[in-house]
Amino acid sequence: MNEATTWIDLTGKSAHVTGGARGIGAEIARVLTMAGADVMLSDVNIDGVRATADEIGASAMALDVSDPNAVEAAMRETVEQLGSLDILVNNAGLVTGYSGALADITNDMWDKLWSVNIGGLFYCTRAAVPYMKENGWGRIINISSTLGKTPGAGVTYDGSKAAISQMTRTLALELTRHNINVNALAPGPIWVQDTEPPEITGQIPPATGHPLADNTASRIARLPAGRWGQPKDVAKAALFLASELGDFISGAYLPVDGGWLTL
Ligand SMILES: NC(=O)c1ccc[n+]([C@@H]2O[C@H](COP(=O)([O-])OP(=O)(O)OC[C@H]3O[C@@H](n4cnc5c(N)ncnc54)[C@H](O)[C@@H]3O)[C@@H](O)[C@H]2O)c1
């Protein structure tokens, strides 16, 4: 092992990944575990998160990130079970069924999305930071989205993801002096279904007449990478920020988007 390979070694570090039952969170947890970290996965889907944790050799717990008391208890339990809490990945997020065209967004959809995407990030960060301060070392990785920069999913989701990039900078200003780096990853289109992703052909589908859907479809068709992203693409970037490679990076907004934001 030369010095460069030790930079991604997370042996001795403990991580908590929210929304880890499936998709991007599950893959981030897998990669952090591969790098040597002890990982706690949490999710509202307890059966799903247990199955994922068993498969990757991590621990699991039930957690609804929008419940501040449950979040406090979950971070405490993470430290009790793993011995410390060094890395927090704020991944849990809602989109389908909670965003869309303005007229279709109910009060309940609005409240629920913001309580998970933004409330959850705030509660988890507030509960985890004291343990990181105690260690004198911490990493917080917030999962934003390129839709926080370019509109596509609707005002609830896009607005919440834009808020995450500013919350990341504000938290970085406050916490970096405690050796706690705070960064945001902004995934582009990541295929999280169990099926194979459709091919990107360059053919823009016929317009639906709805500006959100048409913007998204046209960007996907023209994506410079020419393929859908995979959860592993995001997990590699998370490892970069969680490890020694990210020692002097704080307050960053890193797109993992196959060039989406160049369009
Ligand atoms: N897939 C993409 O293309 C994409 C692109 C940009 C950003 N993102 C973001 O990445 C993150 C993960 O997305 P994904 O595509 O893997 O989603 P997903 O829907 O596949 O997984 C999200 C997980 O979060 C869990 N969850 C939902 N509400 C929760 C709550 N209140 N408390 C705890 N867990 C909860 C779900 O049960 C699920 O396991 C989200 O923040 C999403 O906004 C995804």
Side-chain angles (χ1 to χ4, degrees):
M1 243 204 230
N2 64 30
E3 196 192 353
T5 54
T6 68
W7 288 337
I8 55 161
D9 183 6
L10 295 179
T11 306
K13 301 288 189 220
S14 300
H16 186 117
V17 181
T18 67
R22 47 163 284 114
I24 291 171
E27 196 57 31
I28 290 175
R30 184 194 309 279
V31 168
L32 296 183
T33 305
M34 280 164 60
D38 291 324
V39 178
M40 174 67 76
L41 285 173
S42 63
D43 206 289
V44 282
N45 173 358
I46 185 59
D47 292 339
V49 79
R50 280 204 188 112
T52 303
D54 284 351
E55 191 200 318
I56 68 180
S59 307
M61 63 166 64
L63 176 64
D64 177 348
V65 295
S66 67
D67 176 344
N69 294 329
V71 165
E72 290 287 335
M75 296 305 152
R76 196 166 48 242
E77 200 183 319
T78 302
V79 175
E80 280 165 14
Q81 284 196 33
L82 306 184
S84 66
L85 175 49
D86 310 294
I87 300 161
L88 170 67
V89 183
N90 284 312
N91 167 77
L94 295 175
V95 58
T96 309
Y98 297 92
S99 202
L102 180 64
D104 299 333
I105 300 169
T106 64
N107 296 347
D108 284 349
M109 287 159 73
W110 169 264
D111 287 345
K112 178 77 180 164
L113 183 138
W114 276 78
S115 73
V116 174
N117 293 15
I118 296 301
L121 184 148
F122 169 69
Y123 300 137
C124 290
T125 302
R126 188 179 59 182
V129 159
Y131 301 109
M132 296 179 181
K133 282 187 177 167
E134 222 171 273
N135 298 341
W137 193 96
R139 294 279 200 273
I140 298 170
I141 300 168
N142 297 325
I143 307 300
S144 178
S145 168
T146 49
L147 297 182
K149 291 254 191 220
T150 63
V155 67
T156 40
Y157 183 79
D158 299 357
S160 76
K161 293 298 176 176
I164 289 176
S165 64
Q166 182 56 31
M167 289 167 79
T168 299
R169 281 187 290 272
T170 301
L171 289 164
L173 176 63
E174 194 178 330
L175 298 174
T176 307
R177 71 193 64 193
H178 299 285
N179 203 16
I180 301 170
N181 291 354
V182 190
N183 292 292
L185 290 177
I190 308 296
W191 192 260
V192 293
Q193 319 305 325
D194 294 332
T195 54
E196 283 295 306
E199 220 177 292
I200 289 179
T201 61
Q203 291 290 100
I204 299 173
T208 64
H210 196 285
L212 293 173
D214 290 346
N215 189 30
T216 303
S218 140
R219 282 170 181 274
I220 290 174
R222 293 177 294 129
L223 196 68
R227 68 165 175 89
W228 278 79
Q230 302 173 345
K232 190 161 278 174
D233 293 314
V234 184
K236 286 175 182 170
L239 174 60
F240 165 65
L241 292 174
S243 70
E244 223 177 301
L245 294 172
D247 270 353
F248 203 56
I249 303 173
S250 197
Y253 173 91
L254 178 62
V256 186
D257 68 347
W260 177 282
L261 289 179
T262 65
L263 296 172

